[in-house]
Amino acid sequence: MEMWENRIMKTMRGLLWFTIMAGGVIALLATVNWLPSLTQKDFARQYGSVEDAKRSLGLDNVHVPAYFPEGISWPPSLVLAQKKPYKAVVMEFKDTESMKTKLIVIQSSMQGSDVQLQRITLSELKKETQYHLKGKIALLQVGTCDNKMTCSRMTWQDHSLHYTVLFMSSPFELIKIAESMIH
């Protein structure tokens, strides 16, 4: 009887040590997984909201359109932001019916960086023209995007920031969206 109690105690002690060691390994792995986010805080990463990105990176202004065409969902389905190597915020909005990305808004401190930051690109340019956007000179482009759908893009500069708005549609609604971003 005493021998069985000894075996049970040894087994219980072994299970206890095994549980403690497994918990320690899990804690170590969680810490190792968390460390890169501390060292790369200013580099591109995904945020839960525009406010989270703004607060986390200490960005002064993030311009969000005040006008959204019918069928565009709010809040953004994706918010990416970075402080290094240049400041940038990317917002993607989905179509409420198809749940596909329909609108991309990019704000960047580096001109020409918009192509690197958008997952949908204007692949075939059909028309390009300058457009006066509330006192700013903007470049309006119309063509087709990666998925062969009609899309339009507008880019402009306001002080030291560069803006790009890509909309999966003709430019009429795009112009209203872009105008709503300029205050």
Side-chain angles (χ1 to χ4, degrees):
M1 186 75 155
E2 196 173 303
M3 198 162 93
W4 281 106
E5 286 177 6
N6 247 356
R7 281 189 175 175
I8 290 173
M9 289 302 287
K10 281 186 178 181
T11 304
M12 294 294 276
R13 241 182 275 136
L15 285 173
L16 178 64
W17 278 111
F18 178 77
T19 304
I20 291 171
M21 293 301 283
V25 168
I26 290 171
L28 177 68
L29 290 174
T31 303
V32 168
N33 189 36
W34 178 62
L35 285 176
S37 67
L38 288 178
T39 60
Q40 298 179 356
K41 183 180 177 190
D42 292 342
F43 293 98
R45 50 182 240 191
Q46 189 171 345
Y47 290 89
S49 70
V50 176
E51 284 303 314
D52 288 347
K54 191 175 170 182
R55 191 175 329 112
S56 177
L57 296 176
L59 300 173
D60 301 327
N61 273 332
V62 176
H63 292 271
V64 178
Y67 170 78
F68 288 95
E70 191 174 320
I72 301 293
S73 66
W74 176 265
S77 58
L78 176 72
V79 177
L80 293 174
Q82 67 182 33
K83 207 170 184 179
K84 291 181 183 175
Y86 53 89
K87 291 180 184 180
V89 177
V90 179
M91 295 168 276
E92 288 186 4
F93 300 87
K94 292 188 183 272
D95 179 75
T96 53
E97 288 181 20
S98 69
M99 296 311 291
K100 292 183 179 178
T101 299
K102 183 135 185 182
L103 173 65
I104 300 173
V105 177
I106 300 170
Q107 174 181 317
S108 172
S109 63
M110 187 171 117
Q111 185 173 7
S113 63
D114 58 327
V115 177
Q116 302 165 15
L117 299 170
Q118 60 194 45
R119 296 189 297 175
I120 299 172
T121 58
L122 186 68
S123 53
E124 183 183 338
L125 183 62
K126 293 182 178 176
K127 188 172 183 180
E128 181 175 271
T129 186
Q130 279 193 351
Y131 185 85
H132 292 280
L133 187 68
K134 288 189 170 179
K136 314 280 182 226
I137 296 178
L139 180 64
L140 175 61
Q141 299 170 310
V142 180
T144 55
C145 283
D146 301 336
N147 54 9
K148 304 299 178 207
M149 282 188 62
T150 298
C151 65
S152 48
R153 176 173 62 196
M154 185 169 269
T155 56
W156 72 93
Q157 182 177 347
D158 190 3
H159 300 291
S160 62
L161 294 173
H162 303 273
Y163 297 89
T164 299
V165 180
L166 180 95
F167 188 50
M168 303 301 291
S169 185
S170 61
F172 303 109
E173 293 291 332
L174 171 74
I175 292 168
K176 290 180 188 177
I177 295 167
E179 284 178 340
S180 78
M181 292 178 64
I182 298 174
H183 306 294

